[in-house]
Amino acid sequence: MTDEGCPWVSFVVRKTRLQIVQDPSLNYEYLPMMGMKSFIQAALELLFGKHSQAIAEKRVGGVHTVGDSGAFQLGAQFLRTWRKNLKTVSIISCQKEQYGLIFQDMGFTVYEYVIWNPKKLCTDTSMFFEAMEHTPADSILVIGNIIDCRFSKNQWTKLMSIIKKKQIFPFFDIPCQGLSTGNLEEDTRLLQYFVSLGLEFFCSQSLSKNFGIYDEGVGVLVVAALSNRNLLCVLSQLMNYVRALWGNPPATGARIITSILCNPALFGEWKQSLQGVVENIMLIKEKVKEKLRLLGTPGSWNHITEQSGSHGYLGLNYQQVEFLTTKKHIYVPKSSRINFTCINNRNIDYITQSIHEAVMLTEG
Amino acid sequence: MTDEGCPWVSFVVRKTRLQIVQDPSLNYEYLPMMGMKSFIQAALELLFGKHSQAIAEKRVGGVHTVGDSGAFQLGAQFLRTWRKNLKTVSIISCQKEQYGLIFQDMGFTVYEYVIWNPKKLCTDTSMFFEAMEHTPADSILVIGNIIDCRFSKNQWTKLMSIIKKKQIFPFFDIPCQGLSTGNLEEDTRLLQYFVSLGLEFFCSQSLSKNFGIYDEGVGVLVVAALSNRNLLCVLSQLMNYVRALWGNPPATGARIITSILCNPALFGEWKQSLQGVVENIMLIKEKVKEKLRLLGTPGSWNHITEQSGSHGYLGLNYQQVEFLTTKKHIYVPKSSRINFTCINNRNIDYITQSIHEAVMLTEG
């Protein structure tokens, strides 16, 4: 969000949009069902890196989808038909994710694990492994936002052995690459690890948020397969579902993104704008923390700046959230996870003062 | 298609696209799940007329979908869950339609009836009523392109009595309003009749073709209900499916179309451009007919100009089509139904000469 409360749009996106519209040579024909080929290629290179071995081996591919809902819908339809042994879905994330319903509607049994520890005020790696223990064999494992989970080498090995033993099918969610840490590679660390081991998985890659094209819903269902042959089989089956779901994906968003990703100068500008956004978010968090410190609000507020990304937990309890909602008209969800980009110079004093009052009242 | 073989884009669309991109006040926030409200309103007024009683009574509404596949997918999902008595689908059209698979995949039994009579060389009203006789009770009836069917007053009455007796749920397909006859009202004649009787039905309304925005897939699932209360119930259920299908529909196409439909000057320009396209198609058909006459090709070729719309049957048999395909590299489907807009000044002589040869060879 900008200071004016409007959704952020990268300047380079505005520029590219204008260039595209003025191009008289553009052909407005239907896209293929698979989507825009150059867009998928560029998106894969963004996700796995330009020199990714998996791309060179042609065992990763993708289908251009309508946003991340479309990617989950498409992937879930495929798994329901072609992996009939997978009957349950475990969703592990530091926040409540919305994909549960998609799987539930298709008849999967869904377990959701939010691995935010409200006592320790951090994303809790041990909660992650507890969730993994509870996950039944032959499950789909949706790995949401766990960027703040730092695994030790032992934990990595443990994770892989559970996945192999339980025959778990991973389904990643990469909703806003680059907007968590400001670093494109860092944000896909976990995924990189899986692909380097040659595992097969799906990944929902959304490009609406990190380009600021919310109104277009540009996504890719990324398929990592064991071999190129395997990949082609999966993609060809996916086409049948696409035909019934939306036929041909919309082009505008994909066209803008491809133009930026395939042009080194524009790509550089975009990367910088991402960093700018992330620095800005961190600045807001620092300011909130500092203001609470100056107000003398009880408790350490380090957890605010220790969380990556635009959203984060304030670490308030239900009673405190209720005070904010009913007395201060600050509508925070019960979990106290908020979008920090909605805090700006015009409302920060009111918000921090209100948090202070909430904490003082309930502490007392 | 233009003379250069590119998809046609209305000039007014190009102009509007440019205006929209240059508008700094535009907000690129997610659209609501229902879609762009002003777009849905404008699309409904286009379909039913600005002064439609059904709109005034608020018993028609719509959901903004990703193209016509999206509209059929959404409608079919709703009917499967909420109208469990409907087990079969009859698709009646002058051509083979692609929606059969969507319904089939969901477990419906699908019957398809193509009501082109290859002997009489016309869309055959009696074939339509035969198909209606075969349609089981409690069916969904998908009414595709039957614009060339002219019903007598008795036939209208008969149609309505069958629909009531068999408890049939109609599902219209309006893929390119205005591109059949050049007249927006004339192209939705059948639909108008149904709505004036207060019947409930679904309609897939696509706006990609008549605006020349093929790459965006802009559609609406139109709901005509018995009452406003009824309508709101249906729309609220549809939202659950949208959340899982694509979340929020893409905005670009809808934004362009809304700008045109809501501005009387632009609307006038667009209407005129539609008429231009239709006149152009008719001109091509006339030329083909005239050239075949001059070549002395046996048979009457009036059926070419008697069919409305961009596509039409050449009225060739399998042997003649095979000759065109194998000897002349003119790839015509077995039905001999072709897209006349692909014929231009550069290829018309070759095509008509080839048709002539095909007919001469097989007649002799």
Side-chain angles (χ1 to χ4, degrees), chain B residues 59-257:
Chain B
R59 60 182 181 81
V60 294
V63 177
H64 177 171
T65 66
V66 185
D68 34 16
S69 296
F72 274 103
Q73 172 74 26
L74 186 59
Q77 285 201 3
F78 176 91
L79 293 172
R80 184 179 51 172
T81 312
W82 293 99
R83 291 286 180 97
K84 285 203 193 295
N85 60 317
L86 304 170
K87 301 246 183 259
T88 51
V89 178
S90 278
I91 303 178
I92 305 186
S93 179
C94 73
Q95 74 213 42
K96 171 98 177 107
E97 298 287 1
Q98 53 175 325
Y99 315 115
L101 283 173
I102 296 180
F103 288 102
Q104 226 166 56
D105 284 352
M106 286 193 205
F108 290 99
T109 306
V110 177
Y111 301 100
E112 303 191 51
Y113 304 96
V114 174
I115 58 166
W116 168 257
N117 188 329
K119 282 188 191 129
K120 290 194 198 161
L121 296 170
C122 69
T123 306
D124 192 339
T125 310
S126 68
M127 285 173 83
F128 178 88
F129 281 98
E130 266 171 51
M132 288 299 294
E133 290 299 335
H134 284 125
T135 296
D138 290 315
S139 282
I140 298 164
L141 172 67
V142 180
I143 302 174
N145 180 358
I146 57 163
I147 191 84
D148 290 330
C149 264
R150 297 273 150 187
F151 295 139
S152 66
K153 214 177 157 186
N154 273 345
Q155 284 173 322
W156 277 119
T157 319
K158 191 175 165 191
L159 175 59
M160 286 304 143
S161 94
I162 298 174
I163 284 179
K164 278 188 189 155
K165 202 180 73 195
K166 293 195 179 178
Q167 304 243 359
I168 281 172
F169 186 88
F171 201 141
F172 287 91
D173 178 28
I174 304 287
C176 47
Q177 188 183 357
L179 282 180
S180 290
T181 65
N183 179 313
L184 290 166
E185 289 79 35
E186 179 64 16
D187 276 10
T188 55
R189 192 167 27 88
L190 194 59
L191 188 91
Q192 304 295 356
Y193 188 70
F194 274 71
V195 82
S196 72
L197 292 179
L199 291 178
E200 58 179 358
F201 57 83
F202 279 172
C203 170
S204 155
Q205 177 187 20
S206 167
L207 296 138
S208 291
K209 291 194 189 74
N210 46 5
F211 282 86
I213 322 182
Y214 305 90
D215 63 345
E216 289 298 330
V218 200
V220 180
L221 174 65
V222 176
V223 180
L226 298 178
S227 65
N228 177 253
R229 198 182 146 160
N230 207 314
L231 173 70
L232 295 178
C233 293
V234 175
L235 292 179
S236 102
Q237 287 303 325
L238 287 173
M239 284 311 91
N240 292 331
Y241 303 109
V242 168
R243 186 182 294 119
L245 283 172
W246 50 72
N248 318 77
T252 301
R255 213 171 256 148
I256 297 171
I257 292 168

Side-chain angles (χ1 to χ4, degrees), chain A residues 185-250:
Chain A
E185 289 79 35
E186 181 64 16
D187 276 11
T188 56
R189 193 166 27 86
L190 193 61
L191 188 91
Q192 304 295 354
Y193 188 70
F194 274 71
V195 80
S196 71
L197 293 178
L199 291 176
E200 57 178 359
F201 58 82
F202 279 170
C203 171
S204 155
Q205 179 186 19
S206 167
L207 295 139
S208 290
K209 292 193 188 72
N210 47 6
F211 283 86
I213 322 183
Y214 306 90
D215 63 344
E216 288 299 329
V218 201
V220 180
L221 174 66
V222 176
V223 181
L226 299 177
S227 66
N228 177 252
R229 199 182 143 161
N230 208 314
L231 174 69
L232 296 178
C233 293
V234 176
L235 292 179
S236 102
Q237 286 303 326
L238 287 173
M239 285 311 92
N240 292 332
Y241 304 109
V242 169
R243 185 182 296 121
L245 283 172
W246 48 72
N248 319 78

